[in-house]
Structures are given as C-alpha cells and as structure tokens.
C-alpha cells in the first residue's frame, strides 16, 4: 500500500509518501510547500491543490491520509487549515483516491507510543521507523510522514474517512 500523508496548512503544507509491504515501511519522498502570506488566499489554495494533484499523478497512491485540524484559540488559523484540507480532499476525490483523517494524538500514539509526544519526538521516531539517514525536516514533513505511517499500519476501522 502506498500512502501520501498530508499535514495541511495554507502557509506551510507538509507531505510524506510511504510504501507498506508485508508490514515493512519505506519512505518514498517527503517535503513541504510554502505559500507567501502576501499572496491572495485563492492563489495559495491553488498552489496547494496543484502540488497535491501532481503528487497523486506521479505516485498513484492507494490512499491520502491527513492530520486532522487542531482547533486552537485562533479561529483564522483553523479556517485557513480547513481550507487547505479541503483542497487536498478535492485533489484526491478528483481521481478517486480514498482519504482518511487522523487526530494528532492518534498519529503520535501510532508513531511514538504516546499521544502527547513533542514534535521533536515525532521527528526522531519517523526517522527510526523509516530508517532515514536524518530526521525529516521541517516538522511539517515529519508530521506528514507520521500520518502516512499511521494510516499504513492502522486497522481499517481506525480511520475517519473524509
């Protein structure tokens, strides 16, 4: 199974691609996209859509997994993350790729064994699980790999389908 993990965000959107076969995981690619704050919102979302669309076309994943939005104090940020999440879902739906969403605590539990793990712990564990030569950076890419790992190893009923 090949999974594209996404850590959605408008300013920074992380991605990570893993391949699972017989319980073994291999990292295929990871990184992030950054959009300028001065750019119009619709242009930022278009950039994310096109980038996700290109990843899906290039890698033909079995699924796209997203980290569920954390709604904190700032409603503007929550709205922005929700918009980025929406364009990712549309990019996947456009070509019939199934989507799943996981709360951050579930992803951290799956990767670190502790649902309140710090970002640095997630980076270290992703490196160890995937046998990477270095910790994935920035944290958006590590989070995206973590959500892909979570989905690749999750029992089918754990996923919250988007």
């Amino acid at each position: 199974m090949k999974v594209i993990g996404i850590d959605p965000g408008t300013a920074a959107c992380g991605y990570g691609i893993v391949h699972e076969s017989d319980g073994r995981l291999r990292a295929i690619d990871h990184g992030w996209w950054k959009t300028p704050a001065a750019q119009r919102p619709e242009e930022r979302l278009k950039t994310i859509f096109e980038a996700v669309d290109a990843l899906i076309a290039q890698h033909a994943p079995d699924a796209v997994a997203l980290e569920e939005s954390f709604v904190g104090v700032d409603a503007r940020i929550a709205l922005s993350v929700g918009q980025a999440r929406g364009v990712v879902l549309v990019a996947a739906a456009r070509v019939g790729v199934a989507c799943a969403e996981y709360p951050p605590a579930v992803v951290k539990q799956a990767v670190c064994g502790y649902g309140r793990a710090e970002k640095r712990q997630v980076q270290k564990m992703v490196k160890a699980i995937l046998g990477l030569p270095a910790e994935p950076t920035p944290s958006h890419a590590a989070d995206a790999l973590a959500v892909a790992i979570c989905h690749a190893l999750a029992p089918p009923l754990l996923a919250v389908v988007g």
Side-chain angles (χ1 to χ4, degrees), residues 44-66:
R44 295 173 91 178
L45 294 171
K46 180 178 177 257
T47 298
I48 295 165
F49 174 84
E50 289 172 346
V52 172
D53 191 53
L55 265 187
I56 290 170
Q58 179 182 358
H59 294 283
D62 299 296
V64 172
L66 295 93

Side-chain angles (χ1 to χ4, degrees), residues 104-115 129 146 149-151 153-154 158:
V106 170
V107 173
K108 291 174 181 180
Q109 179 70 39
V111 172
C112 299
Y114 176 59
I129 290 167
I149 291 166
C150 179
H151 184 77
L153 299 179
L158 179 62

Side-chain angles (χ1 to χ4, degrees), residues 93-120:
R94 192 176 76 75
V95 292
V97 176
C99 293
E101 188 170 6
Y102 298 89
V106 170
V107 173
K108 291 174 181 180
Q109 179 70 39
V111 172
C112 299
Y114 176 59
R116 292 183 170 273
E118 298 292 326
K119 287 199 175 284
R120 188 88 168 106

Side-chain angles (χ1 to χ4, degrees), residues 1-64:
M1 171 192 316
K2 190 183 293 183
V3 181
I4 294 179
I6 301 286
D7 179 26
T10 305
C13 185
Y15 69 90
I17 306 164
V18 300
H19 184 261
E20 182 274 332
S21 180
D22 296 323
R24 305 189 102 197
L25 290 171
R26 178 174 55 91
I28 295 174
D29 194 11
H30 66 278
W32 65 307
W33 306 291
K34 184 176 177 172
T35 62
Q39 196 174 31
R40 293 189 337 250
E42 64 273 20
E43 290 298 322
R44 295 173 91 178
L45 294 171
K46 180 178 177 257
T47 298
I48 295 165
F49 174 84
E50 289 172 346
V52 172
D53 191 53
L55 265 187
I56 290 170
Q58 179 182 358
H59 294 283
D62 299 296
V64 172

